[in-house]
Amino acid sequence: MAELNLKYYNNVDSYSDGDVEIDILNFVKEGLDVTQIPKNRRSYACAYHLSAWRENIINWYPLKKTDRVLEIGAGCGAVTGALCRNAGSVVSVELSKRRAEINYERHKEYDNLEIMVGNLNDMEFQSGFDYVILIGVFEYAMSFTRGEKPYETFLNHIKSFVKPGGKILMAIENRLGEKYFAGAFEDHTDAFFLGLNEYEDNTAVRTFSKQELTDIFHNCGLQHLKFYYPYPDYKFPSEIYTDETINSASYGREYMNLYPTRYSLYNEKSVTDALVREGVMQCFANSFFVEALVGQAADRQEEQVIYAKMNSGRKEEFRIATIIYQGKEKYVIKKPLNEKSVAHIERVAIKSRMNNIEELLNLPGKYKDGAIHYEFLKDENLDTRISRMMERGKVEEILKVIKEIQKILMEHSGVVNYHTEEFEKIFGSSKMEAERAATVCPANIDCICDNIICQKDGYVIIDGEWIFDMPIPVDFILWRLVNELYTQHGNSLEKLIAKAKVYEKLNISAAESAVYEQWAKNFAEKYVGGNELAEYGADVRKLDLQELVRIAESRKGMECALFYDTGNGFSALDCCKDYLKIDGGEFSLDFTLDRYASIKNLRFDPLEGRGCKVQITKINDMPLEGDELLGHNAEFEKNGVQIFISGDPQYYINPNLPREGKISIAGKIKIMPEEETMSFYRKKLSELESIKNSKEYKFLKKARLIKNKRKEQP
């Protein structure tokens, strides 16, 4: 039984997501997982705290049953369960009692867990830890650590808890993450571009670039670092990349957006692909997972994880991880992520040895220590080969290689009645018109381009997770291959050749394609449970920058301002601004004034830099008539309408009018076209010229000159 330790709790919860945590505590007590929460009570907070995807930041990492782990900032226990399953003992520290209670309710069955509530600085531990884990914590160090260098001070404090040879594991956002350029808000403040602008005027939280984070670690004497790159970020990762693998064609798969507000300024996939080709994606990864060794590095080179993929969104009995290790040689393992998925791994180990197509072999695996071990094949996969063909626009070559796979499958097929009760359990009840079809058995339905390795004497399928010892239609296997290929490459491939055209070349009709889509959907959603967060997904709103530019251009000169003088004259610092919105030639504005009690003068500027005709009709709902309010800088006036051709219209308003610091102004306005403005301007110049030529003007000018000369005489 886990222990909830309140010895250091001071009855103050310093951090909270609000009342939603009460709901989450109740959901946990009721035994509801994230998919069982009533739809009207679901929120991003529920997904963030309760989804099994959160464990993907740590469940791949090679912790051992002898390891003692300190988890700082455990929150509601998003990753605590994974730590308890994989490590020897776990101490989870959390400031908030309510969050700690949620964690306890979720994981109270673990005997190796102690949850300590309170401030880390007040706590004492009996001995050092093999690992100290900071997930989404380090960025807040400036909020709870004093000194000129709070991040280094905090990291040095963390070091004191680690045994020599132990490690600090940290997950944190990259302030230069590509998603922030693409239109995602800064995760902690919901402000756009805050991290990119180096957290200007922010004193509560900040994240770092890769080099900035490296410098902080080095300044704390932590020289031996390894960076991992969770994709799409550390909160809901499905893959873990490293410097050895991040600049590969597989990086940057389409991902589901879970954030309630997310905008897209450009095609993120295209830019990601370009950064990968440039070999710089590690600088623009959305998040980092950093391993820092405390002490000297061992002489013996440890085996390192260079890539991991987790399927935590599935039903529990199918949740597994695929991990690539680099030692003297590379190798791959598939391991269960919980006790329920152990049986699935055992079945996969057996079925991976089912081979009956020599030119398209399933890579066999060896079951050892509860995981399946595979040889790592160095040859390129079919997706990489097709990617090169795409770059050269070789449509016929793409079709040729897909048809080659079709030919191999068809040569080993037999026409049988495939739609059995077992088939329906896995793929659903949708049926083709013909009861019989060309099928293969055993059949690997994950015969997709990412999994097909190209060798001199044929192909090898490296993923044998979904091999079935029952007949599966060849066309369905090909349909999946093509569908996954287009999912991976999206518009880039569609521009070369439409997906429907490829199906046509493979003799797969639209009607057949529709049935195969239903099979795939039933398999992914009902049988496997492909994504527990599918119903939490939110739309990404596309923003057209050209349209935003047009809007900005249309607003030029449409900014209006109400200036207030408190005794030092009018100033740009003492004003309220808004954009003039004209509806049927009329406008209405409401301003809230600061320090309204000390206001001595008010000036309203309806436009800037635009010729216009203006009539103020109401101030604070009091009607104005005729020339009751005259404009300053007005060149012409007629029936209360002020005509401004200088582009600087101004009105001085009685400062006693504002009520409770608020003022409303309504009126009529017409923005004058440039030609009309120039016409008025020429008319005024003509009138001035006429005055200059008059006898009266010449007499007055002469009299003024005589007067000035007399003043100059001694």
Side-chain angles (χ1 to χ4, degrees):
M1 188 84 171
E3 177 185 353
L4 183 62
N5 185 339
L6 298 176
K7 176 181 177 181
Y8 300 99
Y9 181 55
N10 63 2
N11 295 311
V12 177
D13 286 353
S14 304
Y15 190 88
S16 171
D17 278 339
D19 289 343
V20 69
E21 291 181 2
I22 299 174
D23 288 339
I24 292 172
L25 179 58
N26 290 330
F27 295 150
V28 170
K29 286 181 175 179
E30 293 169 23
L32 303 180
D33 65 28
V34 74
T35 65
Q36 297 167 325
I37 295 172
K39 290 185 178 181
N40 63 344
R41 300 176 69 186
R42 292 177 181 176
S43 65
Y44 172 79
C46 293
Y48 177 76
H49 291 298
L50 298 180
S51 171
W53 285 67
R54 294 294 313 284
E55 292 187 350
N56 288 347
I57 191 61
I58 197 68
N59 58 16
W60 56 274
Y61 190 84
L63 293 171
K64 300 186 292 294
K65 282 296 183 182
T66 55
D67 291 328
R68 187 164 183 256
V69 173
L70 173 63
E71 180 191 16
I72 298 174
C76 298
V79 303
T80 306
L83 295 175
C84 292
R85 289 193 297 273
N86 295 300
S89 64
V90 179
V91 177
S92 292
V93 174
E94 172 54 39
L95 276 169
S96 162
K97 181 183 177 185
R98 186 162 63 191
R99 288 187 165 205
E101 287 174 340
I102 294 171
N103 192 358
Y104 178 77
E105 287 295 330
R106 294 176 70 180
H107 304 115
K108 58 187 176 184
E109 74 275 12
Y110 290 106
D111 295 328
N112 60 345
L113 172 63
E114 179 182 8
I115 301 172
M116 300 179 68
V117 186
N119 192 315
L120 177 71
N121 296 324
D122 301 331
M123 296 178 181
E124 296 180 357
F125 305 102
Q126 292 181 350
S127 59
F129 294 88
D130 298 288
Y131 288 94
V132 172
I133 295 178
L134 303 165
I135 296 179
V137 173
F138 190 67
E139 52 265 45
Y140 291 100
M142 66 193 305
S143 297
F144 53 74
T145 305
R146 295 179 180 178
E148 295 182 1
K149 297 181 177 181
Y151 292 95
E152 292 178 11
T153 300
F154 179 59
L155 192 55
N156 277 321
H157 183 48
I158 296 304
K159 273 176 56 182
S160 67
F161 300 125
V162 185
K163 294 177 180 178
K167 295 175 181 177
I168 296 171
L169 302 179
M170 178 191 297
I172 188 171
E173 295 87 351
N174 174 13
R175 75 171 183 86
L176 300 182
E178 205 246 319
K179 72 177 185 180
Y180 302 123
F181 292 91
F185 54 67
E186 201 279 338
D187 292 66
H188 310 91
T189 62
D190 293 358
F192 292 100
F193 306 123
L194 183 65
L196 300 180
N197 289 321
E198 298 197 56
Y199 292 91
E200 185 177 0
D201 299 325
N202 183 283
T203 58
V205 63
R206 68 158 299 149
T207 61
F208 305 92
S209 68
K210 182 179 181 182
Q211 188 57 54
E212 290 167 343
L213 203 55
T214 299
D215 290 343
I216 291 172
F217 276 103
H218 285 179
N219 291 341
C220 294
L222 297 167
Q223 301 296 322
H224 304 288
L225 307 177
K226 183 171 179 62
F227 275 79
Y228 298 90
Y229 309 98
Y231 185 81
D233 58 28
Y234 86 79
K235 292 182 175 69
F236 298 99
S238 58
E239 297 174 276
I240 304 292
Y241 288 86
T242 59
D243 288 318
E244 294 83 358
T245 54
I246 190 170
N247 291 301
S248 63
S250 67
Y251 185 86
R253 304 176 201 273
E254 298 287 347
Y255 62 89
M256 181 177 63
N257 171 58
L258 292 168
Y259 299 98
T261 303
R262 174 68 200 272
Y263 293 94
S264 174
L265 301 178
Y266 56 75
N267 186 326
E268 189 174 347
K269 181 69 170 64
S270 296
V271 175
T272 297
D273 289 346
L275 294 172
V276 165
R277 289 194 296 271
E278 292 293 324
V280 296
M281 194 65 235
Q282 62 274 19
C283 297
F284 299 99
N286 293 327
S287 295
F288 303 126
F289 182 81
V290 189
E291 175 192 88
L293 175 67
V294 177
Q296 297 298 315
D299 294 333
R300 184 177 62 84
Q301 183 66 36
E302 295 181 353
E303 293 181 335
Q304 295 282 343
V305 173
I306 62 171
Y307 171 80
K309 180 179 180 180
M310 290 68 61
N311 299 114
S312 292
R314 298 172 173 179
K315 293 178 181 178
E316 286 189 82
E317 60 264 36
F318 295 124
R319 291 178 184 173
I320 67 169
T322 302
I323 306 171
I324 302 177
Y325 282 89
Q326 175 70 69
K328 290 183 179 180
E329 298 287 339
K330 288 182 184 178
Y331 65 94
V332 183
I333 72 164
K334 284 185 181 290
K335 72 170 190 175
L337 291 177
N338 56 57
E339 291 183 4
K340 291 183 179 180
S341 58
V342 170
H344 178 60
I345 284 292
E346 291 173 348
R347 285 193 299 270
V348 173
I350 295 169
K351 291 185 178 180
S352 69
R353 296 186 172 275
M354 293 181 176
N355 285 296
N356 66 341
I357 303 178
E358 190 174 339
E359 306 94 319
L360 193 60
L361 291 172
N362 295 312
L363 181 67
K366 182 179 180 181
Y367 189 74
K368 184 176 71 172
D369 299 327
I372 311 172
H373 293 243
Y374 297 94
E375 175 189 2
F376 181 86
L377 302 182
K378 298 179 181 179
D379 307 277
E380 70 176 2
N381 65 25
L382 192 56
D383 185 82
T384 302
R385 180 169 291 184
I386 289 177
S387 295
R388 290 206 311 273
M389 296 174 184
M390 287 171 56
E391 291 172 5
R392 303 195 308 271
K394 300 294 185 180
V395 174
E396 291 303 318
E397 290 185 16
I398 295 172
L399 291 172
K400 181 180 178 181
V401 74
I402 294 173
K403 279 183 165 290
E404 185 178 359
I405 301 297
Q406 180 186 41
K407 181 182 177 183
I408 293 171
L409 290 170
M410 291 301 293
E411 286 177 348
H412 294 81
S413 68
V415 178
V416 300
N417 188 335
Y418 62 89
H419 203 111
T420 62
E421 185 176 332
E422 183 182 7
F423 183 94
E424 188 166 320
K425 175 185 175 183
I426 298 170
F427 298 106
S429 58
S430 297
K431 293 184 178 182
M432 308 292 292
E433 287 187 11
E435 294 182 358
R436 293 161 63 84
T439 66
V440 288
C441 180
N444 188 340
I445 67 168
D446 261 354
C447 179
I448 59 176
C449 297
D450 262 347
N451 294 336
I452 299 175
I453 302 299
C454 307
Q455 297 190 324
K456 292 180 181 179
D457 53 351
Y459 299 100
V460 175
I461 306 175
I462 57 174
D463 193 340
E465 184 179 3
W466 300 113
I467 297 174
F468 295 99
D469 52 356
M470 63 180 180
I472 304 289
V474 169
D475 283 353
F476 176 55
I477 296 172
L478 289 168
W479 180 90
R480 276 178 56 87
L481 181 150
V482 173
N483 189 61
E484 290 295 322
L485 185 65
Y486 275 80
T487 298
Q488 176 77 358
H489 296 285
N491 291 334
S492 300
L493 185 52
E494 188 73 30
K495 288 177 182 177
L496 287 177
I497 180 171
K499 182 165 65 170
K501 189 70 175 178
V502 177
Y503 287 143
E504 183 182 320
K505 294 286 186 181
L506 296 172
N507 295 317
I508 298 174
S509 69
E512 290 169 333
S513 182
V515 173
Y516 298 151
E517 186 171 359
Q518 289 302 311
W519 290 358
K521 185 177 181 180
N522 196 88
F523 171 73
E525 296 180 6
K526 294 184 179 180
Y527 182 71
V528 179
N531 189 350
E532 68 168 10
L533 293 177
E535 295 189 13
Y536 286 82
D539 291 336
V540 176
R541 306 175 200 175
K542 292 185 178 180
L543 286 181
D544 184 343
L545 289 183
Q546 292 300 324
E547 181 62 25
L548 292 180
V549 169
R550 285 192 290 271
I551 292 172
E553 289 293 325
S554 70
R555 282 184 162 185
K556 276 186 177 179
M558 298 298 288
E559 188 176 67
C560 57
L562 183 68
F563 292 87
Y564 48 96
D565 172 16
T566 57
N568 298 310
F570 293 114
S571 165
L573 297 176
D574 296 327
C575 75
C576 305
K577 291 187 177 182
D578 200 351
Y579 283 101
L580 197 67
K581 303 173 185 68
I582 304 172
D583 185 5
E586 298 184 349
F587 69 90
S588 178
L589 297 160
D590 294 294
F591 296 100
T592 300
L593 301 172
D594 295 330
R595 295 172 289 162
Y596 71 92
S598 58
I599 290 174
K600 301 185 182 304
N601 293 293
L602 286 168
R603 191 186 88 202
F604 174 54
D605 292 11
L607 281 176
E608 190 67 40
R610 306 283 289 271
C612 57
K613 300 177 182 179
V614 185
Q615 181 182 17
I616 306 298
T617 58
K618 285 183 183 180
I619 295 181
N620 283 356
D621 297 328
M622 292 189 299
L624 302 176
E625 296 181 358
D627 58 358
E628 192 173 339
L629 187 66
L630 296 178
H632 182 64
N633 292 338
E635 285 82 3
F636 301 93
E637 185 274 329
K638 185 177 181 182
N639 298 327
V641 177
Q642 314 293 309
I643 302 175
F644 302 88
I645 62 174
S646 66
D648 189 22
Q650 299 176 2
Y651 287 91
Y652 289 90
I653 299 172
N654 184 345
N656 296 320
L657 283 172
R659 295 185 306 228
E660 298 178 356
K662 296 181 180 180
I663 186 169
S664 61
I665 303 173
K668 299 177 181 179
I669 189 166
K670 178 184 177 183
I671 298 174
M672 297 165 59
E674 188 175 347
E675 290 183 4
E676 186 177 355
T677 304
M678 291 304 298
S679 175
F680 271 97
Y681 185 68
R682 285 192 293 268
K683 182 180 179 182
K684 186 170 185 177
L685 286 177
S686 178
E687 290 175 352
L688 288 172
E689 192 65 30
S690 176
I691 291 172
K692 287 180 182 180
N693 292 330
S694 67
K695 291 180 180 180
E696 292 84 354
Y697 179 82
K698 290 178 179 179
F699 174 78
L700 290 172
K701 184 177 181 182
K702 184 177 181 180
R704 191 181 300 114
L705 289 172
I706 293 171
K707 184 178 180 181
N708 290 338
K709 282 184 179 181
R710 286 175 179 173
K711 287 182 179 179
E712 293 172 1
Q713 291 178 357

